[in-house]
Amino acid sequence: MGNAATITSVPSQADVAARVEAILGPMSLADKIGQLVQIGGADFMPGPKPEDVIRGGGAGSVLWLNDTKKFNELQKIAVEESPSKIPLLFALDVIHGYRTIFPVPLAMAASWDPDTAEQAQAVAAKEARAAGLHWTFGPMLDIARDVRWGRIVEGAGEDPVLGAAMAAAQVRGFQGPYPGAPDHVIACAKHFAGYGAADGGRDYDPVFLPEAQLRNVYFPPFKAAVDAGVGTFMSAYMDLNNVPAAGNPWLLREVLRGEWGFRGFVISDAFAVGNLVIQHFARDNRDAAFRALSAGLDMDMASGAYLENLAGLVEDGTLDEAIIDAAVRPVLTLKVQMGLFEHPYVDEDLLDQVVALPEHRDASRQAAQRSMVLLRNEGGLLPLSKDLKHVAVIGPVADSMEATEGSWMVFGHQPAAVTVLEGIRAKLPDARVDYAPGPEIRRDYPSFFEDFEPGKKKPAQTPEAAEAAFQTAVETAQGADLVIMVLGETDLMAGEAASRGSIDLPGRQEELLKTVVALGKPVVLVLLNGRPLSINWAAEHVPAILEAWEPGTEGGHAVADILFGDANPGGKLPVTFPRSGGHAPLYYARTLTHQPEDHFMYRSRYWDSPTTPLYPFGFGLSYTTFEIGNLKLSASQMKVGESLTVTADVTNTGSVAGDEVVQLYIHQRFGSDSRPMRELKGFERVPLQPGETKTVTFELGPDQLTYWSSSLGQWVQDAAPFDVWVGSDSQATLHAEFEVVA
Ligand code: BGC
């Protein structure tokens, strides 16, 4: 069987288009509709067997299947037995790695290094393609400002500029230089749009976002994905301003295709076309199919509504067949670009060779190092000495492969991470490293994902067993010279259907932390988690805190590299850490109130807690120190439409090499609309040797200063005075100003 990953030349757009017309011409209506249907290949799917649907021409794509041999079997049925003989596209959620797992996307954003994200997704794509997959449902580009929302872990955090940079990088990583490039897969920008703003942070709940908020904050990563050439889009599940995203012509036709010129195809989220009925939007499945397709939704993921209803809708004259043709064209285009007509099969021996490549694990370890954020380091407790004789590693996620790899594994993935415990043991081969997990942590309500993964469901620990585990952990800590507490969340505590009301450390973890700290030993806290947690007590009482997120296959090694100084942390928070779940959404780029903090009548917004973040957006420490200065603007005034340059010098003033992420924020003092008190407009991660200085340059012009105005209902660049800050987080104080004049 030929290998799908060997296309030698890139066909021109005109050639592809001609080819597509030649394929489309003789297709029957039923064949065309089949191309708009994606079916589930998993055993849990009800209904007819995938083989039979494919043989009958009822599917153009298959998801929820991760079995190379089976891909070839199904493909053979499609290309030899189905009426149109058109090959299938195999799709799966490859979110942060196929076999070699990388840090979760929120962590990758914390690297503030788009190249790291691009390389990670290129490795993921190479492994996935070798397994026989053509298409991933990533990157997830939803801006998330509500830390209760579980899917915050899948995206790049709260900011549109950082989000857009990560979006484009991931598309390049997945797809390579052009759609169909060997060793790459087609990407899917999801979930369009606004999903991260669900009411109360509850997954799938409705979203109400004004157009200005959508255009200025939630759309930029999606627009960046289109500009980077993303092949497909996925619509979101929820109601957006009372119109479900899967049936929303404004989103899918006007903005995506009309304004942005997207030429790929849009797939629904799973079952979302049929869900239009459950959401009390469509009358029945037929109405749902009609309204979704009319709105610009090309492919139905797993609901069956298209397969059952589109033919009838065309036959009775409700739907013009030209709309079906228009939806089929981009699907066929992708199949042509992927070379599937020439090479429909995958070489079944390839995967083992590809996943064994040592550079994949190296890339994962490096990405994990680069994504970790040092939150506290009182008295320079970190880095630790490798001469330590007796260390205790304590906590329920310290030796958990699942928590280390994090949420959204590919279907059927067997966890294989180096845990933090293993990483520390490997780093200290001669020391005594004791371990105790303490009481288990678990969700109060189980995740539906547990139903899909055999072995996931475990009986709960009894209160007596939990108490015994607590005592053992304290005793284990008592005997050691230094304690490393590894606390946080398990893999299913963040992700889809994993929202929380509180963002405290789950279970008895904080109680255990307090008890261990009270022993009077030096304590380091390592966090493994998929969202910010309200670690208020730790932030005051634990001298060293490392945010390691869900760091992936090499996570344990990477944590140990950082703890023992073989790598210097340089990551920065891509999301604000609030002091409580009740403070969400809390984000830095908000507009001013009439009683800002320096106002004589300023009262804190809550009477029971400070409104300020626990850790601000952009924050992160290093083992070295940096100074940012010499802020210069190329002009103090410019006209609307012109640009100026901002430069600043960054110096490593400490004694070890390290990276500083230099960040530029602006504020427009008045205008057509009130503008956020700060907005990130540029950033650069700069590696510096001790004593070294580099100059960082940013551009400020119409791209950075234009926004969608609620007052005017259009894009505007105002003539107004601006503040500029350059520094190491969103509270930077190094300041300059300029004015834009008419
Ligand atoms: C999720 C999507 C995912 C799809 C297919 C849905 O439940 O919302 O993000 O791509 O399932 O697995």
Side-chain angles (χ1 to χ4, degrees), residues 189-365:
K190 74 183 187 186
H191 310 82
F192 197 53
Y195 187 22
D199 272 356
R202 290 178 297 273
D203 209 358
Y204 315 128
D205 257 20
V207 168
F208 293 94
L209 281 173
E211 186 168 357
Q213 200 61 351
L214 281 166
R215 290 189 180 273
N216 293 328
V217 179
Y218 288 81
F219 283 174
F222 289 100
K223 172 70 164 54
V226 172
D227 293 344
V230 72
T232 66
F233 257 62
M234 185 189 294
S235 59
Y237 274 128
M238 76 304 139
D239 275 342
L240 175 65
N241 303 329
N242 290 339
V243 183
N248 196 315
W250 178 71
L251 279 178
L252 304 182
R253 289 214 187 273
E254 274 184 53
V255 174
L256 179 59
R257 280 139 168 143
E259 293 179 27
W260 300 350
F262 174 67
R263 294 283 166 267
F265 69 87
V266 180
I267 184 164
S268 73
D269 203 336
F271 312 107
V273 178
N275 289 351
L276 294 177
V277 180
I278 304 179
Q279 282 167 283
H280 286 201
F281 178 73
R283 183 190 304 122
D284 51 26
N285 266 359
R286 183 185 141 95
D287 187 34
F290 175 71
R291 288 166 79 180
L293 188 72
S294 307
L297 193 133
D298 305 300
M299 191 180 278
D300 173 357
M301 184 193 288
S303 93
Y306 277 14
L307 191 59
E308 285 155 30
N309 296 291
L310 289 185
L313 284 161
V314 173
E315 279 151 16
D316 71 11
T318 311
L319 192 70
D320 190 341
E321 192 168 343
I323 298 190
I324 306 242
D325 289 354
V328 174
R329 270 190 198 97
V331 176
L332 295 178
T333 301
L334 251 181
K335 292 184 176 185
V336 169
Q337 287 174 319
M338 289 297 281
L340 294 182
F341 290 90
E342 293 78 17
H343 303 285
Y345 302 111
V346 60
D347 172 354
E348 290 173 17
D349 298 327
L350 191 63
L351 180 63
D352 283 344
Q353 300 158 29
V354 168
V355 294
L357 292 172
E359 59 259 36
H360 291 194
R361 287 189 88 106
D362 293 349
S364 173
R365 184 166 179 167

Side-chain angles (χ1 to χ4, degrees), residues 7-17 19 178-180 333 336-339 342:
I7 306 165
T8 41
S9 66
V10 192
S12 76
Q13 264 188 11
D15 286 351
V16 173
R19 183 93 190 271
Y178 55 91
T333 301
V336 169
Q337 287 174 319
M338 289 297 281
E342 293 78 17

Side-chain angles (χ1 to χ4, degrees), residues 63-64 93 137 151 190-191 234 237 269-270 301 408 496:
L63 88 157
W64 297 324
D93 295 275
F137 298 127
R151 303 197 79 169
K190 74 183 187 186
H191 310 82
M234 185 189 294
Y237 274 128
D269 203 336
M301 184 193 288
W408 258 133
E496 186 173 355

Side-chain angles (χ1 to χ4, degrees), residues 492-620:
L492 294 182
M493 288 181 171
E496 186 173 355
S499 294
R500 301 181 60 191
S502 145
I503 55 162
D504 294 347
L505 284 164
R508 295 178 65 186
Q509 293 183 96
E510 183 153 314
E511 186 192 345
L512 182 60
L513 180 65
K514 286 178 175 166
T515 312
V516 168
V517 168
L519 299 174
K521 321 230 163 223
V523 175
V524 175
L525 171 60
V526 175
L527 293 169
L528 295 192
N529 50 320
R531 62 155 64 73
L533 296 174
S534 48
I535 47 157
N536 304 303
W537 187 87
E540 277 183 36
H541 299 96
V542 182
I545 307 176
L546 179 68
E547 174 54 82
W549 313 106
E550 295 171 342
T553 303
E554 287 287 312
H557 283 320
V559 166
D561 292 339
I562 299 245
L563 293 182
F564 293 91
D566 291 333
N568 189 352
K572 302 274 186 173
L573 297 179
V575 59
T576 303
F577 267 50
R579 293 169 195 271
S580 134
H583 292 192
L586 184 69
Y587 50 93
Y588 82 93
R590 62 198 185 281
T591 52
L592 278 169
T593 73
H594 73 291
Q595 277 182 25
E597 282 168 46
D598 57 1
H599 189 274
F600 76 101
M601 276 181 42
Y602 173 75
R603 303 278 188 277
S604 54
R605 298 287 166 269
Y606 300 111
W607 61 255
D608 60 352
S609 52
T611 328
T612 51
L614 181 61
Y615 296 108
F617 175 81
F619 175 78

Side-chain angles (χ1 to χ4, degrees), residues 86 147 172 196 280 314 316 342 387 423 458 462 466 477 512 519 573 638 689:
I86 294 176
V147 295
R172 289 193 301 268
H280 286 201
V314 173
D316 71 11
E342 293 78 17
D387 297 331
K458 292 187 189 106
T462 62
L512 182 60
L519 299 174
L573 297 179
M638 65 176 169
Q689 293 301 316

